[in-house]
Amino acid sequence: MALAPNMPKSWRAETKPHKFCPGCGHGLVLKALGECIDELGIQDRVVFGCDIGCSLLSWDFFNTDSIQTHHGRTTPVLTGVKRARPDRICIAYMGDGGGYAIGSQHLVNAASRNEKITTILVNNCNYGMTGGQMAPTSLPGMKTETTPYGRDVELTGNPTQGPEMVAAITPEGAYVARGTIANLRQLRKMIKKALETQINGTGFSFVEALSACPTNWRTNAKDTLHFVEKEMTKYFKVGELKVPGEKEGK
Amino acid sequence: MVDKPIKGEKRYFVTGNEVVAWAALAAGAEIMYGYPITPQNEVMHYWTRLAPKYNRKFLQTEDEISAGFATCGGVLSGARAFTATAGPGNTLMQESMSMAEMMKIPTVVVVQQRGGPSTATVIYSQQEVTMTCFGANGEGLRVVYSTGSHQELYDYTIKAFNTAWKYRIPTFVLGDGYQAKMRESLVMYDPEERGIKMVPTEKIVGKEGMPGVEREPSHLRNTYNTEDELYDVVEKLVRDFWQAAPEIVEHQEFDCQDAEIIVVAHGVVTRAAQAAVKELRAQGKKIGHFRPVTLRPFPREAMKKAIANAKELIVVESAEGQLDKIVKAEIYGCSKPITGYFKPGVGITAEEIVEFINKRG
Amino acid sequence: MAKEYKIALAGEGGQGVQSVAGIIVEAANDVGREALYIPNFGVEQRGGVSIAFVQIADEKIGSPKFKKADIVIALSDRAVRRTAEYVDQRTTFVYDSSIEGVEEALPKNAAKVYAIPAVDVAKNELHPRVFNIIIMGAVIEATKVIDLESAKKAIEKKLGYKFEQDPKLRELNFKALERGIELVRQAGIS
C-alpha cells in the first residue's frame, strides 16, 4: 500500500491507522518523532522502546526495531541496550505515570548518569489507559477518577515539573526541553535536537511533550485545545531548559 | 585481540563470588549489570576489576529492577549479558524476569541466596527456591541450576549462558551465601579448550539492514489484547519449555538403588547429605540421597526411578519446605511417606542429618 | 566424617583471625590438600566477634560450616563466650592467657582447655603486628594440618612484597611462627 503523503517514511504503513483515541496527542508526537528519524536518516539504527500505558500502542508503530517493556521500565531496558551497543540510537517513549511515578527512579538515575539515550515523555495529566486516574502531572483542582472532587495539592502534592528536575540533575552536554502538541514545528525541533544530542554522544536527552487526552478529560475539540494551550502551560512552561553548548536558563 | 581470561586448566583457591566473575569472563559474557547486595557484591567487585582487561563492560544501576531490565536490554541487543543478586534484590528482579519469560529473553542471573523473609540475614539460606523457580506473574518458565560447590558454580555459570541462548529461556544459577563467601579449590578452564562450544548470541533488536525495507523490523511486545491471543503465545511458550526440559534436567543420585530411606536435598546441602549417607552406610543403614541439580525443570522421571525401591523420603533443606513442595508436586501419586527436615536460613551439617535419621530408628 | 580437621578461630576485628585462616587454607591448598574456609559475616562491616571456620581434609569437604570444632582458638573475652557453642567433648579449646575474667565462661565440656600467652609474647617479645602469625604457628602445631615449611611458604606468598622492602620483617614473621609453635608445645597441646 502506498504511504499517505504526510506519513513519515519511518512509520509502518501496515499498522496504520493507529489505535489511539480520536484527538489523542500520541499520534502527533509520534509523527514529529517519525519525521525526525527520517530527517536524520537513523531508521536502521533506532531501537525504540515504549512503556505501559497508552504509549504501548506504539510498539509496532515504526519500521524500527522496537521493544514494548513494563510500566516505568523502558528507561532501564534501553539503557541496557545502549550500554551494550553504543552505536544504536535508543529512544525511550513513555507517559507521565511511567516516567514520573513508577519509573521515576530510573529517569532520575539515567539523567544523573547522563545515559546517552533519548527519552520522550508524553504528559497528558492523567493515566489514560487505566481510565483516567490522577497522574503526577494532574493539575491542581483537576478532576480525575481518583480525585473526583479535584486534585487537592495539600494531600497529593503539586504537579511534577519533569524537565525542570531533569535539567537540574543532568550535567552539561544534556538536552532538556518541554514542547507541546499545540506547536508541532517547535516540538519537532526539540525532538530533533534531542536525537542529535544522542548522536553526538554528549549526554542524556529529554523532551516532555504536553499532550491531550480528550477521552478521559471528557472534553470536546475546542476545550481540549484550550486545556493544552492555556491550562497546562500555566504549570508547565514550554521551552528549552538545557542545550549542549549553551548557557543554562535560556 | 585480547587474551583469553583462562588458558589451560588450573587449580584455584578462591571465593565463590570470584568464581562466578571468572566463569562469566570465560563464557564470553560481554556486560554485567548489577546493584550492590550482600552476599553477591564480590561478583561485581571482581568483574569490575577484570572486565576492562578483557574489553568487557559493567553498569551499576539504581536498583535491581533496573539491573534486571537493563540485562534484558543488553541481551536483546545481542550481548551475552548477566546480573547477580540475592534476597530482596531477587524479589525486585522478578518483574524483569517475568518479561524475560514472556519474551524469551536469554538472561543469566546468578542468585546467592541469603536469609529471608524480608531483609533477614546477609548470610545464607535456601529460601529463594520458590521465587527463583516461579517468581512474578508467570508460569515458571525458567531454568534454575542449584549448585553445591565452587566447581559447580564455575561449570554451571558457563552452562547457564549456553542453556539460555540455546533454548531462549531465562536461566538462573542458584547459589547461596556460603558458596559466595567461602574459599575452596576448583579447576578453572577455557570452555572451548574443553570442547564446550559457546552458543552464539544473536541480535534480537538492532539487526543489520533497513527495517521494513530489507528486513522485517523486530517488534517485541509482552502485552496482548485478547485472551485468545495471549493463550496462543503462552501455550507456545509452555510447549517450548517442556519440549526442551528433557534435554535440560540434571540430577545426581547416591546409593539410591537399595536404599530404604532417601534423603532429598539440593544445592550446598547435598554436601551434608552425601556425607551423611556415607556415614550411615558405614553404620550399616540403607540410606541413599537424591539431588536435583535443576530445580526447574525438575528431574521428575529420574527421581521417580531413583526412589522406586525406597520406603521413605526425607527432604532436607535450609528453608521451610520450599523444595518439599516442589518434590511433592513432581512425584504426585507416590504414596511413600515424606518427612521434612527444615532449617529456614540455617546451614545443615552431615552430623545433624545422621542424628535426625538415627533418632527416628 | 572425622577425617576432616575443623578449626574455629575467633577474635576481635583487627586481631587478624581471618587473614590467618586465609593463609593456612592457602598453604593447605598449595600442598594439594582440600581446604574450605568461610568467615562469619553479618550486616556489620566492623565490630562484633570475627570467626573463621576452617576445614582441612584429604577429600572434598562437606558442609561449609560445622556445629562442633576439633579445635577452637579464642583470642578475646567475647570470642571465648561466643565460641562455646562449637565445643564438645572432642574439642581442644585454646584461649589467650591475657584474657581476664573468663574463667567461668571457659567451656566445661571440652576435651582440654589451654591458655597460651600469645598476646604477651607479641607485645613484649616480638611486635604486636605479628600477633596473628604467632596464632598461625599455634594452629599448625596444634593441628598439624600443614608443616612449618609450607606455612613459611604461604607467609612468603602473602607478605613477600613487604619482605622485599624490609627483609627484617621476614625474620620477624618467621620468628613469630616458631614462637607460636613453641607456645603450643610448652602448653602440652601437641
Side-chain angles (χ1 to χ4, degrees):
Chain A
M1 126 186 196
L3 293 183
N6 62 345
M7 204 184 274
K9 192 166 71 63
S10 53
W11 274 25
R12 185 165 176 81
E14 293 89 320
T15 59
K16 306 295 172 296
H18 58 63
K19 301 180 187 77
F20 296 108
C21 305
C24 172
H26 271 293
L28 297 170
V29 180
L30 291 167
K31 185 170 178 202
L33 174 60
E35 287 165 353
C36 293
I37 292 171
D38 291 354
E39 276 179 44
L40 293 166
I42 53 173
Q43 187 183 337
D44 58 341
R45 289 169 68 198
V46 165
V47 176
F48 176 80
C50 58
D51 217 71
I52 296 297
C54 297
S55 68
L56 83 82
L57 297 176
S58 63
W59 72 279
D60 60 354
F61 207 89
F62 295 104
N63 263 329
T64 62
D65 287 352
S66 308
I67 310 166
Q68 174 257 311
T69 76
H70 281 193
H71 197 22
R73 315 304 178 211
T74 307
T75 305
V77 171
L78 290 206
T79 295
V81 172
K82 187 73 181 181
R83 288 280 178 153
R85 296 276 308 279
D87 62 329
R88 297 294 101 180
I89 305 299
C90 295
I91 303 167
Y93 186 72
M94 65 194 69
D96 38 29
Y100 297 150
I102 193 168
S104 58
Q105 78 273 38
H106 307 311
L107 175 62
V108 166
N109 285 280
S112 298
R113 289 195 305 262
N114 215 17
E115 294 290 348
K116 312 298 184 290
I117 62 171
T118 300
T119 296
I120 298 170
L121 186 147
V122 175
N123 173 359
N124 63 6
C125 294
N126 79 112
Y127 286 83
M129 182 162 274
T130 46
Q133 296 83 3
M134 182 187 72
T137 47
S138 297
L139 299 182
M142 188 173 165
K143 284 187 178 164
T144 71
E145 289 301 324
T146 50
T147 56
Y149 305 107
R151 179 176 187 174
D152 180 351
V153 294
E154 286 300 313
L155 294 174
T156 64
N158 283 295
T160 300
Q161 304 275 350
E164 287 77 2
M165 173 183 74
V166 173
I169 60 176
T170 41
E172 165 56 33
Y175 178 80
V176 184
R178 181 187 284 118
T180 169
I181 55 163
N183 186 346
L184 282 173
R185 183 197 279 272
Q186 182 197 42
L187 179 64
R188 193 160 49 233
K189 269 189 191 155
M190 288 169 171
I191 293 174
K192 194 174 172 193
K193 276 195 192 176
L195 291 170
E196 283 168 343
T197 300
Q198 182 177 172
I199 292 165
N200 296 334
T202 57
F204 185 63
S205 46
F206 183 79
V207 177
E208 179 185 293
L210 300 184
S211 184
C213 183
T215 300
N216 287 303
W217 293 353
R218 300 188 174 88
T219 46
N220 61 24
K222 188 163 154 266
D223 292 346
T224 301
L225 198 60
H226 176 83
F227 194 84
V228 175
E229 285 193 302
K230 302 291 183 241
E231 298 300 322
M232 288 177 80
T233 48
K234 275 187 205 161
Y235 293 89
F236 305 122
K237 301 291 172 217
V238 171
E240 292 184 324
L241 288 93
K242 198 166 206 162
V243 180
E246 281 181 25
K247 250 187 129 182
E248 275 176 51
K250 199 190 145 196
Chain B
M1 179 72 192
V2 183
D3 271 355
K4 280 191 169 182
I6 306 275
K7 277 180 262 176
E9 305 226 342
K10 204 176 155 206
R11 179 173 160 132
Y12 286 82
F13 189 78
V14 292
T15 65
N17 283 334
E18 188 172 353
V19 169
V20 170
W22 279 108
L25 275 177
E30 292 152 71
I31 186 164
M32 174 184 187
Y33 305 87
Y35 184 80
I37 190 162
T38 310
Q40 158 282 139
N41 296 307
E42 295 83 4
V43 176
M44 299 188 300
H45 300 178
Y46 285 105
W47 178 264
T48 51
R49 276 156 187 74
L50 297 166
K53 298 179 190 168
Y54 303 98
N55 262 337
R56 319 294 175 88
K57 298 180 202 171
F58 175 74
L59 174 65
Q60 183 166 328
T61 57
E62 58 274 17
D63 55 29
E64 288 89 350
I65 299 174
S66 183
F69 279 102
T71 304
C72 290
V75 168
L76 287 171
S77 79
R80 206 175 269 122
F82 77 109
T83 183
T85 190
N90 193 3
T91 303
L92 293 184
M93 232 170 243
Q94 290 308 317
E95 189 198 337
S96 55
M97 291 305 111
S98 83
M99 186 173 95
E101 226 179 285
M102 177 64 120
M103 299 167 86
K104 301 203 79 167
I105 306 172
T107 49
V108 169
V109 180
V110 177
V111 176
Q112 302 287 30
Q113 298 170 92
R114 56 186 259 171
S118 182
T119 314
T121 69
V122 301
I123 302 170
Y124 159 83
S125 85
Q126 294 190 314
Q127 294 169 287
E128 296 173 46
V129 166
T130 306
M131 173 161 66
T132 307
C133 291
F134 303 103
N137 56 338
E139 298 293 348
L141 307 178
R142 301 117 181 256
V143 176
V144 179
Y145 291 113
S146 175
T147 62
S149 68
H150 282 14
Q151 193 61 59
E152 290 180 356
L153 267 183
Y154 191 80
D155 297 345
Y156 284 102
T157 299
I158 292 170
K159 192 175 230 179
F161 287 103
N162 278 345
T163 303
W165 280 96
K166 180 174 180 190
Y167 299 104
R168 299 292 166 96
I169 300 174
T171 302
F172 295 77
V173 177
L174 188 66
D176 58 62
Y178 284 175
Q179 294 181 67
K181 295 279 189 176
M182 72 189 196
R183 286 170 194 270
E184 69 172 350
S185 67
L186 78 153
V187 174
M188 295 198 206
Y189 51 85
D190 174 65
E192 304 275 347
E193 284 175 24
R194 271 213 186 172
I196 300 167
K197 201 173 151 12
M198 293 313 297
V199 175
T201 63
E202 187 199 327
K203 290 167 186 161
I204 302 168
V205 296
K207 295 176 193 194
E208 314 306 327
M210 180 61 75
V213 180
E214 295 162 20
R215 64 172 174 89
E216 283 297 295
S218 288
H219 281 154
L220 312 176
R221 62 167 166 164
N222 52 61
T223 309
Y224 296 91
N225 216 24
T226 67
E227 290 164 292
D228 309 314
E229 214 180 354
L230 172 68
Y231 181 73
D232 285 347
V233 171
V234 176
E235 200 259 342
K236 166 108 174 50
L237 288 175
V238 169
R239 200 173 349 113
D240 288 353
F241 183 79
W242 291 119
Q243 199 176 330
E247 293 175 28
I248 295 170
V249 287
E250 288 184 42
H251 76 284
Q252 282 185 315
E253 42 190 283
F254 303 87
D255 295 326
C256 286
Q257 199 59 49
D258 65 335
E260 288 169 3
I261 298 176
I262 289 180
V263 175
V264 184
H266 76 98
V268 82
V269 178
T270 187
R271 299 165 74 122
Q274 288 174 40
V277 165
K278 236 186 214 177
E279 172 68 17
L280 289 163
R281 283 274 169 181
Q283 294 175 15
K285 301 202 166 66
K286 289 190 166 174
I287 312 287
H289 166 40
F290 182 86
R291 174 201 178 190
V293 174
T294 49
L295 297 183
R296 188 79 186 159
F298 193 88
R300 177 191 301 161
E301 297 313 317
M303 177 155 185
K304 282 184 176 166
K305 219 187 261 175
I307 63 169
N309 302 323
K311 292 198 174 76
E312 186 185 353
L313 305 180
I314 299 177
V315 179
V316 179
E317 58 178 316
S318 297
E320 191 59 35
Q322 299 195 21
L323 173 66
D324 186 67
K325 245 183 245 155
I326 295 176
V327 165
K328 283 173 179 163
E330 294 286 350
I331 60 168
Y332 177 74
C334 156
S335 57
K336 302 174 203 293
I338 301 176
T339 312
Y341 183 80
F342 304 149
K343 285 289 192 74
V346 177
I348 296 171
T349 63
E351 289 86 343
E352 60 188 300
I353 298 176
V354 169
E355 198 188 324
F356 180 73
I357 290 172
N358 278 341
K359 263 198 189 147
R360 309 173 69 253
Chain C
M1 279 184 292
K3 271 178 257 157
E4 298 170 3
Y5 221 107
K6 298 183 169 82
I7 306 164
L9 203 54
E12 296 299 311
Q15 282 187 312
V17 297
Q18 303 301 344
S19 63
V20 165
I23 299 173
I24 293 172
V25 288
E26 288 261 359
N29 177 65
D30 285 348
V31 298
R33 303 201 69 193
E34 286 300 333
L36 190 154
Y37 154 51
I38 186 165
N40 74 307
F41 55 96
V43 284
E44 302 147 338
Q45 276 282 346
R46 302 281 180 272
V49 176
S50 178
I51 309 179
F53 299 90
V54 170
Q55 297 179 70
I56 295 171
D58 291 319
E59 289 174 27
K60 279 280 178 198
I61 288 156
S63 30
K65 280 195 185 171
F66 45 79
K67 300 269 185 235
K68 304 296 172 191
D70 297 301
I71 184 164
V72 171
I73 300 195
L75 301 174
S76 74
D77 176 333
R78 293 197 301 172
V80 167
R81 296 171 203 279
R82 173 76 170 76
T83 50
E85 62 175 296
Y86 304 112
V87 174
D88 71 3
Q89 65 290 342
R90 295 175 300 116
T91 308
T92 301
F93 188 89
V94 182
Y95 69 106
D96 193 276
S97 53
S98 71
I99 308 168
E100 288 171 2
V102 286
E103 286 71 21
E104 95 297 337
L106 293 173
K108 310 280 180 290
N109 56 336
K112 280 169 188 164
V113 177
Y114 300 99
I116 58 168
V119 169
D120 185 56
V121 168
K123 220 194 306 189
N124 300 319
E125 204 180 297
L126 297 168
H127 193 283
R129 72 199 284 188
V130 292
F131 171 71
N132 60 344
I133 303 297
I134 298 175
I135 297 304
M136 180 176 165
V139 173
I140 64 165
E141 178 62 16
T143 62
K144 307 283 197 300
V145 286
I146 50 167
D147 61 22
L148 178 62
E149 278 318 300
S150 318
K152 281 186 175 173
K153 249 189 240 166
I155 291 172
E156 188 74 40
K157 196 166 147 191
K158 189 97 180 164
L159 301 171
Y161 71 102
K162 283 188 183 171
F163 298 165
E164 269 170 34
Q165 288 163 4
D166 184 0
K168 268 189 228 143
L169 269 184
R170 178 185 288 113
E171 212 177 296
L172 181 65
N173 274 277
F174 288 175
K175 181 90 186 76
L177 190 67
E178 280 154 21
R179 282 298 278 134
I181 292 171
E182 275 171 38
L183 293 183
V184 162
R185 284 188 187 151
Q186 283 160 5
I189 301 171
S190 57

